[in-house]
Amino acid sequence: MTTTDTLMAAVREGKVSAVIELVTDMTTEERRAAVPELKALRIELRKELWSNRARQIRPALHAAGAACHSGAAAAAAWIAGSEMSWAPAAPPVLLNLLAYRDRQWQADVAARLADRPESAGVPFALMSGLVRLSGCEVPTTDSYVRGWLNSSTTTWQLSGPLLAERLGRDAHLVPLVNALFELDDIGWRLEWTYGQDDAQGWIPALAQLTGQGLLDRKTMIDGCVARLLRGGSTVDQRAFLALFKALSPTREEERERTGDWMALATDAAVAIAFHAQSVLTALALDGELTARQLAEMSRGVLFRPEKKLVRAQLVLLGKVLRASPSEASALLPAVAEGFGHPDTDLQERAVKLVERWAGRADQGARDEMLASAELLSGALRPRAAAALGVVPEALEPGTPEVYEEILPPVPLARRVDPAPETVEELAEEVGALLAARTEDVAVVERVLDGLVRHTYRDHEALVEALRPVVAGRWWYPEDGPRASADNNFRARPYGVEVVLASLFDGVKPSTLHKALRKDGSPRSDCVHAKLERPWRARLYETAYRLRTEPLPFLLSTPTWASGLLEAGELVARLGEYRRLGAPVAEADFAQALRRVRHDVTADPDASVGVAAAATALGTPEGDRLAALLTAPAPAAPAAEIVETESRLLVRTGGVPELRSRELPPFFRPLGAPVDPTERGQQCYHWGFPAYPHWLAILPGERETVAARLLAVLSAGAVDDIPLEVGYLPLLAESPGPVGDALLLSVAYGAGARRAEERVAAVDALLVLAASGQLDTDRLGELLGRLMAMGAVKPVRVVECVRTAAATGACGTVWGLLRAALPALLAGPAAGTAAARGVGDLLAVAAECVERAGGHGELPHLGELAARRGGSRLLTQARRLHTLLTEEDASTATT
C-alpha cells in the first residue's frame, strides 16, 4: 500500500490525528501525489453535504488538503473552500500542519485568506496564527479586521481583564484601529457593550486607549470626522459620532475643523447635523465664527426640510444679530433663505428677524431679500414688503396666475402581448422574469401561456432552451428529484416556478395533483387564501397537465393587463380546442369565464352575435359562455360600513354568480359575504407576492377584492403593523366601480406605518382623481372619521396630502381636507396634544387654498381660530380661517 493509499484510508475514516502523523512524515513529493485523490474525494462529498459520513470525513480531508498543497494560492483556496466550512479542521490543527512551511509562504497564505470575504467563514484564529508564525505585517482587510473585532470580544470573560486592557497588549492595535474607519456597517459592533458595565465596550475602550497615548489622538479625531463626512448607514454615523464625543475634543480641536462642521450641518444626516450645528453655535456665540462663515452655514441649514434644525438656526441668527447688529447686511440675506421653507411658521420666524433688523442692512442686502420674498406665503408677503420698504404689490406677480390642477395622465389599458414565437425568445423571457421577480400580470400571463404552447409543440426543444436559464434554481434536479423541493411545492406553487419545475421533473405529478385537490377542498380560509386559491389552483393544474396531458394553449390568458378577456377571443380559442379535440382544463376555463368582459360591446347586436358564435361551437363550454353573455349584468352586492374594534370596515352581501355549483370549489369562497366580524377575516400574515393576480382573478370587481383585504389593510394603520399595500395603485387603475371599500383602502393606506407604504396611497389617490373616479367629499368624510376615532394618525396623513399637493393636485387635496377637517375640529382633542398633526393638516389646507382658491366657512374652524394662544394648531387655524373668510379670498379657477 502506498503512502497516498494509507493517507486516504485515514481520511475516509475521519481520523484527524492519524492524518497529522502521516502528513508530518511525508515528503514534499508524496504530499503532491496525494492531492488528486484528495480533490476527487472532495468532489464526491459535495453530493452529500449534510450526511453523517461527510461530516465525519471532512475535518480530516480539510487538514490533509491544507498540508499537501505546495502552492500558497492552492492551499488558501482549499482552506477557504465553501463546503469545507460545514465541518472544518480546527485552526490549531491547521496551524500545527503549516508551522514547518517557510515564513514567506505562511505570509502569502495569510494574506490570501484575509482577502476572502467575511462570508467565507475563514476563522480569525487561523489568519492571526499565520500572521504570528510568519511575522508579517498584519492584514487590514475587511475580513481580518472584522474577525479581530469579534475575537477581541467573544473571548472576554466576566472575570477577565477589561477590553481596553486586552487591546492595549495587542501588538497590532494601531493599524487595526486605523482600519476600523474604512469599514462599512461596523457601527453596531462598536456600539455593543458587554455585561452590565457600559465601560465594557469598544467606544469607551478606544477613548481610554487614546487618553493613554496608545492611539494617536489627532488620527482618531480626524478618522471620526472623516467617517461622518463620508456618510453611510444611520448606525455607522451614530457610532462614530459617539466615539468622537467619547474622545472629549477640546474647543481648539473643534475650531480647527470648522469647515467640516459647516459641511456636516448642511448635508449630513439629521443627528449628525444637529451635533455639527451645536458645535458651530457655540463657536458663533463665542465670536469664533465670522459673519461670512455663519451666513454660508445658515444658507445650507435653512434650505433643509427638518424643522428643528431650521428653527434652531433662526434662533442662533437672532442671537448673533442682537450681539452684532452691524452684521445685518451679511446675515439677513441668509435669513431670507428661510422664506422658501414649506412650513409657514418658520417662514414667519424668518420674516420677524427681517422686520427687526432690516433697517440695519444696506441696499444690496435688501435687494437679495426682496428676490427671496416672492417665496413667502401670501399672508406674509405684505409684512416682508413693509419691512423692506416697498409696497406689497411689488412682491406680487404682474398678471394674476390662474391655477391649473396638475394630475398624472390616466393609465392606458395595456394589451397582453402574444406568447413568444420561438423557444429561444421564451427562454429569454423566462430568464428576465426570474431575475426581476416581477408579478406583472401581463408578463407572467404571457410567459405562462408560452410555456404551455411550446410544451405542446415540442417539449424536448423547450427543455433544452430553458436548461441554461433554470440550472441552479433551488428546485432544479441535477441527479433526480429533490425531496425538499417536492415538499416545498406541496405547500405553495411559487408562481411560475412550479410550472418550470414540472417541465424538468423537479416536482412529482402526484404532488401537483394532491395540491390541486387540496386547494379545491372546502375549509376555513383567511382573506389571503380565499384570493390566492384560484391563482394557485390554475398554476398547479397547468403544471400537472404539462406532465400528463399538455394543453395546446391557455384559454384564460387575458386580453388586457387588468385581467379582462374579450369574449370574441375566448370564442376563437374554444373553436381551436374543438378542432384539435383538446379537453378543456377545469381551472383554466373557470378563470377564463370570470375574466370575460360582461359589457362585450356598446352595440347589443354585436353582443348577441358573439353569443351566437359561442353557441354555434356546439360544446358545453360554448353554451356556458353564451349564457354568460346573454344574461343580465349581475348587480353589485349590497354593502354597508360597520364600525368595529376602533376601525371602519365594509360588510358586503354574497355574489351568487361566484357561488354557482358550475364553478370549481376553489372559486366559490370568493362569492361568500364579507363580514368583518367573522373569524379569520383579520389575519396578520402577509407574505404573498401574488397580489397583482388577485385583481386579475376578478377583473372589473375591484370593490370585492378591496372589501376582502380591508380588515388586513386596516391593521397597518390601527396596529402599526408593516403591511404590503402595493396593490393600492393597482386597485385605482383597475376597471370597475368605486365604492367605500376602495376609498377606505386609500384612507388606511394614508395612515400606514412606513413612508413607502403611504406613497402607494398617494399614487392611488392621484390616479383616481385623474380618471375622474374620485369622490373627494366621501373620501374626506371617511378619512376624517378614521382620524377622529384614532384609527389613522393625522401626522401620517400630513405626509400624504403634502406630497399630493406638491405634485400639483392642490384642488383635490383641498377638497379632501375640506371634508375631513370638520370631524377633527369638532372633537375635544382639537386643542390638545392628542391631536398631533392637526395643525400641520391645517397648514397644508391653507397652502392649497392660497394656490387653488377657496372660500366659505369650515365647520368649527372659526371657534378654534378665536382661541387665544400661539400654538401651531391655533396659528394655522387663524391662517386658514382668514383665507376662507376674507372678501378678496382667492377665486382662482381650478
Side-chain angles (χ1 to χ4, degrees), residues 181-205:
F181 295 106
E182 303 299 325
L183 296 186
D184 291 322
D185 298 321
I186 203 68
W188 67 272
R189 301 178 191 237
L190 297 180
E191 287 186 326
W192 195 263
T193 56
Y194 307 90
Q196 297 180 351
D197 185 2
D198 289 341
Q200 268 289 57
W202 276 94
I203 291 175

Side-chain angles (χ1 to χ4, degrees), residues 236-581:
D236 276 6
Q237 294 277 282
R238 187 176 63 223
F240 283 103
L241 178 60
L243 177 57
F244 177 83
K245 291 179 178 179
L247 294 172
S248 301
T250 64
R251 174 57 61 85
E252 178 61 29
E253 289 171 328
E254 290 178 333
R255 185 170 54 251
E256 289 175 356
R257 297 164 177 82
T258 297
D260 296 331
W261 300 126
M262 292 174 62
L264 290 170
T266 301
D267 296 319
V270 177
I272 311 304
F274 269 126
H275 180 77
Q277 186 185 47
S278 67
V279 172
L280 292 170
T281 296
L283 293 173
L285 296 178
D286 288 346
E288 298 183 78
L289 207 63
T290 66
R292 183 189 61 79
Q293 289 174 319
L294 179 57
E296 180 183 348
M297 166 208 177
S298 298
R299 289 181 185 276
V301 174
L302 296 179
F303 187 74
R304 296 183 64 124
E306 297 89 0
K307 290 186 284 187
K308 289 184 179 180
L309 277 171
V310 174
R311 188 179 299 113
Q313 194 66 25
L314 290 172
V315 170
L316 170 62
L317 286 166
K319 291 180 179 179
V320 173
L321 284 168
R322 281 196 298 272
S324 304
S326 60
E327 302 291 357
S329 295
L331 296 180
L332 285 182
V335 170
E337 191 72 40
F339 291 173
H341 198 279
D343 189 280
T344 54
D345 286 349
L346 296 176
Q347 288 185 15
E348 186 173 11
R349 283 177 177 266
V351 169
K352 287 181 179 179
L353 283 177
V354 171
E355 287 176 327
R356 182 168 183 178
W357 301 107
R360 299 295 189 98
D362 59 29
Q363 190 59 45
R366 287 168 172 269
D367 292 341
E368 283 191 61
M369 287 184 280
L370 278 173
S372 299
E374 295 181 359
L375 301 174
L376 289 166
S377 66
L380 293 174
R381 287 177 191 167
R383 290 175 55 181
L388 296 173
V390 298
V391 294
E393 290 75 12
L395 299 181
E396 299 295 337
T399 304
E401 182 179 349
V402 177
Y403 174 75
E404 181 179 356
E405 187 86 345
I406 301 175
L407 294 171
V410 179
L412 300 176
R414 287 189 298 138
R415 270 191 171 272
V416 176
D417 293 332
E421 287 293 329
T422 66
V423 292
E424 291 78 16
E425 291 176 311
L426 179 58
E428 290 183 10
E429 294 277 348
V430 170
L433 178 64
L434 294 177
R437 298 181 181 179
T438 180
E439 288 297 334
D440 183 284
V441 171
V443 174
V444 174
E445 291 286 356
R446 180 171 184 259
V447 167
L448 192 60
D449 187 42
L451 292 172
V452 171
R453 289 176 182 269
H454 286 289
T455 300
Y456 185 81
R457 296 173 189 172
D458 191 340
H459 176 272
E460 294 301 323
L462 176 60
V463 168
E464 287 305 311
L466 287 174
R467 194 179 302 280
V469 175
V470 302
R473 302 298 292 182
W474 59 272
W475 47 261
Y476 185 73
E478 297 178 355
D479 301 305
R482 296 184 179 182
S484 59
D486 202 67
N487 289 333
N488 284 334
F489 280 125
R490 186 177 291 114
R492 57 184 293 195
Y494 294 91
V496 178
E497 296 260 14
V498 71
V499 179
L500 294 169
S502 179
L503 281 171
F504 286 87
D505 298 334
V507 57
K508 298 176 183 176
S510 59
T511 298
L512 298 170
H513 188 257
K514 289 177 182 177
L516 180 59
R517 291 184 60 187
K518 181 180 178 182
D519 271 332
S521 62
R523 65 183 188 273
S524 177
D525 281 335
C526 70
V527 292
H528 301 96
K530 283 184 173 69
L531 290 165
E532 186 83 355
R533 283 170 69 186
W535 169 238
R536 289 165 54 98
R538 184 161 162 254
L539 289 171
Y540 280 132
E541 180 188 74
T542 302
Y544 178 70
R545 292 295 294 268
L546 290 185
R547 296 285 294 280
T548 56
E549 192 175 10
L551 303 169
F553 49 83
L554 291 176
L555 294 171
S556 57
T557 302
T559 307
W560 306 98
S562 64
L564 285 174
L565 172 60
E566 298 296 341
E569 289 190 28
L570 182 54
V571 170
R573 293 173 188 175
L574 288 172
E576 183 65 11
Y577 260 63
R578 186 187 64 172
R579 186 186 71 80
L580 296 172

Side-chain angles (χ1 to χ4, degrees), residues 42-123:
R42 178 181 179 180
I43 294 172
E44 178 185 329
L45 294 181
R46 284 176 179 168
K47 298 179 181 180
E48 43 181 313
L49 282 176
W50 296 93
S51 70
N52 291 331
R53 173 175 173 268
R55 285 198 293 267
Q56 180 183 359
I57 294 175
R58 195 165 283 115
L61 176 63
H62 194 204
C68 290
H69 279 86
S70 57
W78 179 277
I79 292 170
S82 58
E83 73 275 19
M84 293 298 182
S85 62
W86 292 103
V93 171
L94 297 177
L95 291 172
N96 183 36
L97 290 171
L98 303 180
Y100 72 93
R101 299 295 186 101
D102 66 78
R103 291 190 173 188
Q104 183 59 43
W105 188 93
Q106 292 168 342
D108 196 355
V109 172
R112 292 176 184 275
L113 293 177
D115 278 335
R116 297 272 176 163
E118 186 182 17
S119 59
V122 179

Side-chain angles (χ1 to χ4, degrees), residues 98-253:
L98 303 180
Y100 72 93
R101 299 295 186 101
D102 66 78
R103 291 190 173 188
Q104 183 59 43
W105 188 93
Q106 292 168 342
D108 196 355
V109 172
R112 292 176 184 275
L113 293 177
D115 278 335
R116 297 272 176 163
E118 186 182 17
S119 59
V122 179
F124 176 74
L126 176 60
M127 293 187 289
S128 60
L130 288 170
V131 170
R132 185 180 64 255
L133 288 173
S134 65
C136 65
E137 291 186 5
V138 64
T140 55
T141 63
D142 186 284
S143 179
Y144 193 93
V145 177
R146 291 180 191 275
W148 173 68
L149 277 172
N150 292 335
S151 176
S152 298
T153 51
T154 55
T155 58
W156 173 76
Q157 301 293 331
L158 286 175
S159 58
L162 294 176
L163 177 61
E165 183 180 343
R166 289 183 286 108
L167 292 176
R169 297 196 296 261
D170 192 327
H172 304 298
L173 174 66
V174 172
L176 290 173
V177 169
N178 290 344
L180 288 178
F181 295 106
E182 303 299 325
L183 296 186
D184 291 322
D185 298 321
I186 203 68
W188 67 272
R189 301 178 191 237
L190 297 180
E191 287 186 326
W192 195 263
T193 56
Y194 307 90
Q196 297 180 351
D197 185 2
D198 289 341
Q200 268 289 57
W202 276 94
I203 291 175
L206 293 175
Q208 182 178 337
L209 293 169
T210 303
Q212 295 171 355
L214 296 177
L215 294 172
D216 181 67
R217 180 176 181 81
K218 185 177 186 304
T219 300
M220 294 294 291
I221 291 179
D222 285 344
C224 290
V225 175
R227 276 307 300 261
L228 297 178
L229 288 168
R230 193 174 87 183
S233 68
T234 302
V235 178
D236 276 6
Q237 294 277 282
R238 187 176 63 223
F240 283 103
L241 178 60
L243 177 57
F244 177 83
K245 291 179 178 179
L247 294 172
S248 301
T250 64
R251 174 57 61 85
E252 178 61 29
E253 289 171 328

Side-chain angles (χ1 to χ4, degrees), residues 4 7 26-38 68:
T4 298
L7 176 63
M26 292 170 68
T27 64
T28 302
E29 289 73 18
E30 287 174 331
R31 293 193 194 100
R32 288 175 181 167
V35 169
E37 292 286 342
L38 293 170
C68 290

